[in-house]
Amino acid sequence: MNTQRPETEDPTLEADVFARNCTSRPVLQNVASRWGTLALVALRAGPYRFSALRRRVEGVSERMLSQTLQGLERDGLVHREVHQAIPPRVEYTLTDLGGQVAEHLEALIQVLELNMPRIRDAQAAYHRD
């Protein structure tokens, strides 16, 4: 695990996601990706083993979920714990920061789900025009 900061990052600069080279952009990309969002919100229910999380987040490939969790772990949103057993058991949980982010993502999901009739109407109108 590389814990050094990239040479181009200036820790004194304030984060601004709208700035082209802001280091918050890759984090936002990880969080706002389809699989990142779904994994974070699923983990709000509690610890998940990899295979159970993959079943919960239907449609994600093993490779993509693994990459997603690695990115979220690197960004400090997910904690990966290996339990000594035979075979080894790995569980994923949210960090405090991950919990904060997941709470907001779940609120966004709820707004979208509650408004799907309006969204479908807008989609149909768009395609009629």
Side-chain angles (χ1 to χ4, degrees):
M1 185 182 318
N2 183 0
T3 57
Q4 294 180 350
R5 292 177 182 239
E7 290 179 24
T8 58
E9 182 181 332
D10 182 349
T12 63
L13 292 178
E14 194 169 312
D16 177 5
V17 75
F18 292 100
R20 178 185 322 198
N21 295 321
C22 184
T23 56
S24 65
R25 276 196 179 183
V27 178
L28 179 63
Q29 185 174 354
N30 289 339
V31 167
S33 73
R34 170 178 31 179
W35 306 123
T37 297
L38 294 175
L40 287 167
V41 173
L43 287 168
R44 284 198 77 206
Y48 269 93
R49 292 178 68 179
F50 183 86
S51 57
L53 185 58
R54 185 165 176 236
R55 284 190 299 273
R56 178 69 179 112
V57 181
E58 294 181 12
V60 66
S61 71
E62 189 172 311
R63 179 175 179 257
M64 185 54 64
L65 182 57
S66 179
Q67 288 177 349
T68 298
L69 290 169
Q70 286 174 4
L72 295 172
E73 181 183 8
R74 180 192 61 238
D75 294 338
L77 303 173
V78 169
H79 175 72
R80 178 180 182 267
E81 186 170 350
V82 179
H83 297 277
Q84 296 305 318
I86 298 175
R89 187 170 53 98
V90 178
E91 281 188 340
Y92 294 89
T93 55
L94 293 174
T95 63
D96 289 341
L97 177 58
Q100 289 177 39
V101 171
E103 181 179 356
H104 291 283
L105 292 171
E106 187 169 34
L108 173 63
I109 288 170
Q110 288 172 353
V111 168
L112 293 173
E113 288 178 342
L114 289 171
N115 287 285
M116 280 312 297
R118 291 172 60 189
I119 293 168
R120 281 192 288 273
D121 289 347
Q123 291 169 339
Y126 178 85
H127 289 293
R128 276 195 305 270
D129 294 342

